Amino acid sequence: MTIDTIKPIIITIDGWSSCGKSTMARELASRLGFVYIDSGAMYRAITLHFIRHHIDWTAPQQVSAALKEIELSFRFNTDLGRAQMHLNGENVEYLIRDLSVAERVSEVAAIASVREFAVAQQRRMGQHRGIVMDGRDIGTVVFPDAELKIFMTADNDIRVARRFLELRDKNPDITEADVRSNLETRDYIDSHREVSPLRQAEDAVVLDNSDLTPQQQLDIALAWARERATDK
Ligand code: DC
């Protein structure tokens, strides 16, 4: 694999659930020699901690006390060649993908103090630039000055089918209807919450990957990255 050497810029990738943001962000970062950060994994790990410790997240004091007990880190797994989410030193990369976490994460991610906690860490991770971060508010709130902002979207049925295939491997009892209902609920909460709702930044470029192969979408994003790295 070739690494393109371009100036270290910030690339944000926001969009709806399950439209392939993480896969593309990871590939793009690895082609550019940039750091990749999956911001959704941070909200998922916080949610896992709250579930495990029976935190009532409608109680602000319980939330702020619980956040003080959380240390999040991405640690590189050399066998897999990618970073994995760690919660207080424990590798939770697989646990946080479970439907039990997916069903609650949007509620937790809507809490202002949770977002402040996560956003502060996300900004520190981007202080040297040379980063690709995906999420919902990365181009609008976390890095409003990013050189390249991509808003990803894909047809609803395609997103459900992709996520169903992914989750069915781990959970054979899951139905396509479960997946559809989870995606619809999350998208609704993510785009209607008061704090940092999912929306397209005014200066974002839209990438609809419904009819694109992973290689085609990567090529488009790489071309945009090269262009933005020379522009500014
Ligand atoms: O990208 P994901 O599906 O792993 O994200 C999990 C949840 O976290 C999703 O419902 C929205 C929320 N999220 C968010 O509010 N802001 C982000 N920057 C990333 C994710």
Side-chain angles (χ1 to χ4, degrees):
M1 186 192 67
T2 50
I3 294 187
D4 297 30
T5 40
I6 66 167
K7 187 178 94 178
I9 58 171
I10 294 185
I11 302 176
T12 64
I13 303 186
D14 291 302
W16 305 102
S17 297
S18 299
C19 54
K21 297 186 298 295
S22 308
T23 311
M24 198 191 69
R26 185 181 299 114
E27 282 289 308
L28 187 59
S30 105
R31 283 291 298 272
L32 297 171
F34 284 12
V35 171
Y36 162 58
I37 299 293
D38 170 2
S39 71
M42 299 171 73
Y43 293 101
R44 287 171 179 265
I46 296 168
T47 305
L48 177 66
H49 181 90
F50 285 5
I51 295 171
R52 280 176 166 175
H53 295 272
H54 308 288
I55 306 300
D56 171 5
W57 53 77
T58 62
Q61 279 172 345
Q62 283 197 39
V63 170
S64 57
L67 288 173
K68 292 197 179 80
E69 303 296 317
I70 295 179
E71 191 257 328
L72 301 176
S73 55
F74 287 97
R75 299 191 190 170
F76 199 75
N77 179 314
T78 41
D79 292 335
L80 297 175
R82 62 168 75 160
Q84 296 190 303
M85 185 77 242
H86 286 64
L87 167 62
N88 295 333
E90 175 193 353
N91 184 341
V92 292
E93 182 64 36
Y94 300 107
L95 287 173
I96 59 172
R97 310 289 162 195
D98 199 83
L99 198 57
S100 60
V101 172
E103 277 171 354
R104 294 170 178 88
V105 63
S106 284
E107 274 174 54
V108 171
I111 303 169
S113 59
V114 167
R115 301 204 71 82
E116 263 169 47
F117 173 84
V119 169
Q121 297 187 31
Q122 290 155 7
R123 289 193 177 136
R124 276 200 297 278
M125 291 169 184
Q127 65 193 350
H128 303 299
R129 307 188 96 77
I131 191 170
V132 182
M133 191 177 288
D134 76 324
R136 305 292 186 288
D137 62 336
I138 311 302
T140 51
V141 173
V142 183
F143 298 120
D145 65 339
E147 287 85 351
L148 173 59
K149 300 179 185 178
I150 300 176
F151 190 84
M152 267 178 79
T153 172
D155 179 82
N156 250 10
D157 292 342
I158 294 176
R159 295 195 290 132
V160 171
R162 285 178 188 158
R163 184 50 69 112
F164 175 58
L165 282 179
E166 207 179 286
L167 288 175
R168 201 186 43 184
D169 280 348
K170 292 174 220 149
N171 177 0
D173 296 332
I174 204 162
T175 66
E176 208 165 311
D178 294 335
V179 175
R180 185 178 299 276
S181 135
N182 177 251
L183 284 194
E184 283 171 0
T185 310
R186 280 206 289 149
D187 283 345
Y188 183 84
I189 301 177
D190 294 340
S191 54
H192 287 79
R193 66 183 175 221
E194 240 168 79
V195 201
S196 314
L198 166 66
R199 62 175 180 81
Q200 186 187 322
E202 274 172 23
D203 50 349
V205 278
V206 177
L207 184 55
D208 181 338
N209 68 13
S210 308
D211 300 312
L212 296 177
T213 64
Q215 187 59 49
Q216 285 170 327
Q217 62 169 345
L218 180 63
D219 288 342
I220 295 172
L222 275 170
W224 283 338
R226 283 189 208 106
E227 200 180 283
R228 298 301 169 95
T230 42
D231 274 2
K232 306 211 172 175

